[in-house]
């Protein structure tokens, strides 16, 4: 008997706190799953109790903030899991420390680690090239990016450019449901961008149903996310109105957009 090949990995959303997503990455071939950024253990435990045929084998951590790591201890107590995450910041309970360009095996799949400093200095993204799935944490959001708590605008720009270089069809799973607010901001930056206007309408109806607006896709982000469009003249011109000095570089544009968005 030959093994049945399925359509590949599946991803499903678990909700935590007010707007966090804990992504469950599922390999239906072996009924093993991994939780990404479990800031709270309880939604993961509840799902596993309701789906006893599944085994949680791994936990992936993108960065050290509490809403991403808070559930590690309890998951380690209850399950035989391997916790994978970045060095630099102290994350208790890591079993495997990863850094830029590492390739690891998770659920039988290759996962590439991409260092994406900016929101924090330790931040990494996880990319599954075989399935074109990206877990971007608090770096690349749908139509936005994370706040600059530890890194510089230049670091965030480099990080976003690395993610933008992934295939357009890459599905983007970020850690928060911020899409609607981000699109209102994107529209303020580019009032004449038709794709932003169309996406805003779609996301408004998705949120009106209380549904999840993710995953996004890299191609869609390149067309509608102002933080990936800091080389576009219209975006630089709009950010100029909110900047103290003349904007001549994409990094200066990103810095200005980020400060504008903080007060938006
Ligand atoms: Zn964070
Ligand atoms: Fe967060």
């Amino acid at each position: 008997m030959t093994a049945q090949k399925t359509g590949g990995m599946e991803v499903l959303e678990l909700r935590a706190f007010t707007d966090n997503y804990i992504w469950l990455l599922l390999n239906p071939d072996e009924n093993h799953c991994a939780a990404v950024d479990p800031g709270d253990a309880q939604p993961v435990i509840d799902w596993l109790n309701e789906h006893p045929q599944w085994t949680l084998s791994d936990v992936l951590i993108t960065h050290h903030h509490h809403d991403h790591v808070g559930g590690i201890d309890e998951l380690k107590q209850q399950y035989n899991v391997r916790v994978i995450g970045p060095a630099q910041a102290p994350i208790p309970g890591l079993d495997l420390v990863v850094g830029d360009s590492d390739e690891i095996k998770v659920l039988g799949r290759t996962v590439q680690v991409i260092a994406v400093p900016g929101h924090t200095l330790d931040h990494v993204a996880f990319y599954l090239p075989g399935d074109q799935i990206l877990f971007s944490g608090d770096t690349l959001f749908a139509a936005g990016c994370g706040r600059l708590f530890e890194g510089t605008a230049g670091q965030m720009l480099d990080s976003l450019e690395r993610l933008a270089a992934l295939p357009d069809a890459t599905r983007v799973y970020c850690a928060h449901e911020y899409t609607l607010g981000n699109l209102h901001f994107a529209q303020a930056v580019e009032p004449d961008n038709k794709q932003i206007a169309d996406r805003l309408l779609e996301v408004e109806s998705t949120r009106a149903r209380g549904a999840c607006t993710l995953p996004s896709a890299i191609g869609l982000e390149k067309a509608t996310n102002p933080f990936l469009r800091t080389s576009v003249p219209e975006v630089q011109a709009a950010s100029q109105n909110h900047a103290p000095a003349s904007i001549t570089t994409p990094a200066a544009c990103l810095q200005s957009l980020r400060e504008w968005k903080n007060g938006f």
Side-chain angles (χ1 to χ4, degrees), residues 20 63 65 67-68 119 138 141 175-176 178:
N20 278 73
H63 67 293
H65 283 161
D67 62 315
H68 301 251
H119 176 69
D138 287 357
F141 288 127
H176 291 270
Y178 290 160

Side-chain angles (χ1 to χ4, degrees), residues 114-116 125 127 134 136 139-141 144 156-170 172 217-231 254:
I114 306 171
V116 285
Y127 177 58
L134 175 71
S136 60
T139 297
L140 175 61
F141 288 127
M156 180 60 95
L157 179 72
D158 290 345
S159 297
L160 292 174
E161 282 178 346
R162 292 187 68 186
L163 301 183
L166 296 172
D168 280 356
T170 303
V172 178
I218 289 293
L220 180 62
E221 290 306 315
K222 288 194 292 192
T224 58
N225 186 330
F227 296 93
L228 296 186
R229 297 171 59 75
T230 52
S231 301
L254 191 147

Side-chain angles (χ1 to χ4, degrees), residues 9-13 23-26 36 133 135 171 173 215:
M9 305 296 268
E10 289 168 21
V11 182
L12 66 86
E13 98 228 25
W23 298 110
L24 264 195
L25 177 67
L26 308 152
V36 182
I133 289 170
F135 296 106
R171 285 175 283 162
Y173 295 90

Side-chain angles (χ1 to χ4, degrees), residues 3-22:
Q4 287 266 304
K5 214 171 153 42
T6 71
M9 305 296 268
E10 289 168 21
V11 182
L12 66 86
E13 98 228 25
L14 303 178
R15 299 180 186 207
F17 310 115
T18 49
D19 51 32
N20 278 73
Y21 288 119
I22 300 166

